[in-house]
């Protein structure tokens, strides 16, 4: 059976290579036509999933897509994207423009199978751990403590929470060797202990731990994990009113055989990636689309069919599409205290920092952990476990617990700003943190 699947994948790959050689993709980058954006046109032979792969390349470069026109009816895929940098300027950097041409043009190679479309590649640099389970205060602290106890160093991680569920992709290395963990017995122990932490005292709730050698496109994978965990199912009042929730509607255009999906929501970076990713993973094909995100509100219109070429068939399916798109938009939205840690990396850093959050009754709602050249750049979004706004005393306690740091509070009342002095005797880390290790704290609502 496995041999037959492998042979089928190889045949699909060879067929796709032939199609691409006969019809190589064309990429045109225009900085003259539009006054306020760089225009990128992509023409290519069509296949399921190509749209999300193109959008993924642009969003991974942190480009802002202000407008997009998409058409993939028939065997050809034609897209036009208006993009800017984070400051709203045209893209002038030749290195970035050349990367776009190579990534989307004739030399690119979009892998065809769903297994590889999420970016799974062999690697001995680290071991990837995927976690899903029920969210609760202190969960990231407990997971980090277990990994530290097992002599695993977290080099990269991303954690999302939504609708009482939590998902994480964590890349770890062996503390002694600095490389991937390959011992099967040790991996089994890691899986078992982490799964126990995820289950907590509620054994009836589902929890899942997957350990693999390789890397994934983390954000794509997190969407898939939360979708598989059914985080889109709302249990009673979720605390969001109609004004906060995205406006998603699905109607059938019977004459043309399409279902028309319209979305209105507050704009934010990577919004287009999140919605296209979800439609693709739900096995819908986007035949036409119109995207307008030049103002504070984003408007998205998709003409879709299921991969079997049928429109949405029932009211239950329509509601599921709406719920899943709402969830995809909401997962990346965080409210609360934003903390950014920049310091020299070391084993146990994540465990120590999240322990201080837990001791101050803060819960992590989203986290991004990155290590580059021995430096840790970690961003956390935290809220008070009781549901109240984080107050000045908690902020000051965190500052004292971390040690010699600089704390910036942005977008909040004056009374929440921390005191000018801090007591070195209250430091829990002593000399483990250097001065200015926390380079940015802020009370913000993030859509990044």
């Amino acid at each position: 059976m496995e041999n037959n699947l492998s042979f089928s994948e190889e045949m699909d790959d060879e067929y796709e290579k032939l199609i691409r050689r006969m019809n190589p993709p064309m990429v045109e980058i225009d900085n003259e036509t539009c006054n306020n954006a760089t225009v990128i046109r992509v023409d290519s032979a069509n296949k399921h999933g190509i749209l999300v792969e193109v959008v993924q390349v642009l969003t991974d470069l942190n480009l802002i897509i202000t407008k997009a026109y998409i058409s993939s009816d028939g065997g050809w895929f034609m897209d036009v994207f208006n993009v800017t940098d984070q400051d709203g300027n045209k893209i002038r950097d030749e290195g970035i423009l050349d990367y776009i041409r190579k990534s989307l043009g004739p030399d690119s190679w979009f892998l065809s199978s769903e297994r590889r479309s999420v970016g799974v590649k062999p690697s001995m640099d680290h071991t990837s751990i995927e976690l899903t389970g029920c969210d609760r205060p202190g969960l990231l602290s407990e997971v980090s403590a277990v990994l530290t106890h097992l002599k695993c160093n977290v080099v990269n991680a991303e954690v999302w929470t939504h609708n009482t569920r939590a998902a994480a992709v964590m890349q770890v290395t062996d503390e002694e060797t600095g490389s991937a963990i390959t011992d099967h017995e040790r991996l089994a122990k890691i899986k078992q202990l982490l799964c126990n932490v995820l289950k907590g005292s509620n054994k009836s709730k589902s929890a899942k731990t997957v350990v693999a050698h390789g890397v994934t496109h983390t954000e794509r994978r997190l969407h898939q994990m939360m979708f598989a965990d059914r985080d889109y199912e709302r249990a009673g009042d979720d605390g969001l009113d109609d004004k906060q929730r995205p406006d998603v509607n699905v109607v059938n255009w019977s004459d043309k055989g399409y279902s028309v999906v319209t979305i209105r929501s507050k704009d934010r970076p990577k919004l287009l990636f999140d919605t296209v990713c979800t439609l693709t993973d739900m096995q819908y094909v986007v035949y036409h689309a119109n995207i307008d995100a030049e103002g504070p509100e984003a408007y998205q219109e998709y003409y879709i069919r299921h991969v079997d070429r049928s429109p949405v068939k029932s009211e239950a399916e329509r509601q599921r599409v709406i719920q899943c798109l709402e969830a995809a938009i909401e997962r990346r939205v965080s409210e609360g205290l934003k903390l950014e840690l920049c310091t020299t990396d070391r084993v146990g850093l994540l465990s120590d920092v999240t322990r201080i959050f837990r001791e101050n009754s803060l819960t992590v709602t989203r986290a991004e952990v990155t290590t580059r050249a021995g430096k840790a750049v970690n961003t956390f979004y935290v809220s008070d476990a009781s549901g109240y706004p984080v107050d000045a005393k908690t902020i000051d306690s965190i500052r004292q617990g971390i040690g010699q740091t600089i704390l910036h509070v942005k977008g909040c009342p004056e009374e929440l700003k921390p005191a000018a002095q801090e007591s070195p005797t209250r430091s829990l880390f002593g000399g483990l943190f250097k001065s200015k290790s926390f380079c940015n704290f802020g009370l913000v609502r993030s859509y990044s």
Side-chain angles (χ1 to χ4, degrees):
M1 182 67 176
E2 290 182 0
N3 290 337
N4 289 338
L5 288 174
S6 177
F7 178 75
S8 176
E9 286 180 359
E10 290 177 3
M11 289 295 293
D12 289 342
D13 287 352
E14 291 303 318
Y15 177 74
E16 188 169 343
K17 288 177 183 177
L18 175 62
I19 294 298
R20 287 176 64 82
R21 283 196 296 268
M22 296 173 61
N23 302 283
M26 296 178 290
V27 178
E28 181 183 347
I29 299 177
D30 179 3
N31 261 324
E32 304 301 327
T33 303
C34 183
N35 292 330
N36 56 2
T38 297
V39 180
I40 301 175
R41 299 182 181 89
V42 182
D43 294 346
S44 173
N46 193 20
K47 73 178 183 69
H48 180 57
I50 190 173
L51 175 59
V52 71
E53 291 168 336
V54 172
V55 173
Q56 180 177 301
V57 168
L58 300 178
T59 54
D60 282 351
L61 291 169
N62 291 319
L63 302 182
I64 305 299
I65 300 173
T66 58
K67 282 182 177 291
Y69 307 93
I70 296 159
S71 179
S72 62
D73 229 340
W76 201 251
F77 170 83
M78 295 175 286
D79 275 9
V80 180
F81 299 94
N82 286 17
V83 303
T84 68
D85 62 17
Q86 294 285 323
D87 299 319
N89 302 315
K90 292 184 180 183
I91 313 305
R92 303 288 188 182
D93 189 314
E94 279 301 324
I96 294 177
L97 297 178
D98 187 56
Y99 178 85
I100 293 172
R101 293 186 188 98
K102 290 180 178 179
S103 298
L104 303 180
D107 296 333
S108 65
W109 170 232
F110 292 133
L111 298 172
S112 59
S113 73
E114 182 65 17
R115 174 181 59 85
R116 284 174 292 174
S117 69
V118 298
V120 178
K121 301 176 183 178
S123 172
M124 292 303 294
D125 295 335
H126 60 258
T127 299
S128 182
I129 302 175
E130 298 176 357
L131 311 169
T132 54
C134 188
D135 187 31
R136 66 177 186 274
L139 179 60
L140 180 57
S141 174
E142 294 175 32
V143 168
S144 303
V146 168
L147 289 173
T148 300
H149 176 71
L150 295 172
K151 299 189 181 301
C152 300
N153 185 35
V154 179
V155 293
N156 294 292
E158 190 148 353
V159 182
W160 288 3
T161 64
H162 177 251
N163 196 21
T164 74
R165 306 302 295 170
V169 175
M170 311 184 81
Q171 296 171 0
V172 304
T173 59
D174 179 77
E175 177 183 331
E176 294 183 0
T177 66
S179 58
I181 301 168
T182 58
D183 181 81
H184 293 293
E185 291 186 4
R186 186 178 176 191
L187 291 175
K189 184 177 181 181
I190 291 172
K191 287 179 62 175
Q192 179 185 354
L193 293 180
L194 288 177
C195 200
N196 291 341
V197 170
L198 289 169
K199 289 180 180 178
S201 59
N202 192 344
K203 302 300 182 182
S204 63
K205 289 289 185 179
S206 62
K208 186 176 181 181
T209 306
V210 176
V211 178
H213 299 294
V215 294
T216 66
H217 185 273
T218 302
E219 294 167 346
R220 177 85 188 271
R221 187 64 188 139
L222 283 166
H223 275 303
Q224 293 175 333
M225 291 163 61
M226 298 205 87
F227 172 73
D229 201 38
R230 306 175 74 89
D231 75 313
Y232 53 85
E233 295 181 341
R234 302 183 186 277
D237 183 12
D238 58 6
L240 289 177
D241 58 32
D242 291 338
K243 292 182 179 180
Q244 293 175 296
R245 185 168 290 147
D247 180 10
V248 183
N249 193 27
V250 180
V251 297
N252 279 354
W253 187 7
S254 301
D255 292 346
K256 300 294 184 180
Y258 294 118
S259 292
V260 184
V261 178
T262 56
I263 303 172
R264 294 184 184 273
S265 67
K266 185 172 181 179
D267 190 31
R268 60 165 174 78
K270 301 189 178 183
L271 178 63
L272 179 60
F273 170 80
D274 294 338
T275 54
V276 169
C277 177
T278 298
L279 288 171
T280 302
D281 289 337
M282 292 181 72
Q283 299 299 301
Y284 291 103
V285 178
V286 175
Y287 286 86
H288 304 280
N290 178 34
I291 311 298
D292 186 348
E294 288 193 309
E297 183 182 74
Y299 175 78
Q300 303 181 17
E301 183 179 65
Y302 300 99
Y303 293 77
I304 67 169
R305 294 184 185 128
H306 196 266
V307 290
D308 64 6
R309 300 188 66 82
S310 66
V312 173
K313 298 176 182 178
S314 66
E315 177 61 20
E317 183 183 355
R318 190 180 82 89
Q319 289 297 327
R320 186 168 181 262
V321 172
I322 291 173
Q323 291 174 348
C324 290
L325 287 171
E326 286 178 348
I329 295 169
E330 293 168 359
R331 287 169 191 148
R332 210 189 286 267
V333 178
S334 299
E335 289 189 30
L337 185 67
K338 179 183 179 182
L339 305 93
E340 184 174 312
L341 168 66
C342 303
T343 188
T344 302
D345 187 40
R346 61 175 177 80
V347 175
L349 176 64
L350 183 61
S351 176
D352 290 336
V353 172
T354 53
R355 174 171 55 83
I356 284 189
F357 297 161
R358 184 185 64 193
E359 290 171 347
N360 284 275
S361 300
L362 297 184
T363 181
V364 177
T365 59
R366 190 156 64 89
E368 301 169 12
V369 176
T370 306
T371 304
R372 293 289 183 274
K375 292 289 183 181
V377 181
N378 303 342
T379 302
F380 305 94
Y381 299 87
V382 299
S383 60
D384 191 284
S386 63
Y388 293 101
V390 180
D391 60 24
K393 291 182 179 179
T394 301
I395 295 172
D396 191 52
S397 178
I398 293 173
R399 296 177 71 247
Q400 293 177 3
I402 298 298
Q404 296 299 314
T405 66
I406 290 183
L407 177 65
H408 299 286
V409 180
K410 298 180 180 179
C412 65
E414 287 294 320
E415 60 267 21
L416 286 185
K417 290 186 177 179
Q421 302 293 328
E422 64 179 12
S423 171
T425 60
R426 290 282 306 278
S427 173
L428 297 178
F429 288 174
L432 292 178
F433 281 90
K434 296 181 180 179
S435 179
K436 302 185 180 181
S437 59
F438 271 80
C439 59
N440 181 35
F441 282 69
L443 278 172
V444 298
R445 178 180 176 90
S446 170
Y447 289 84
S448 62

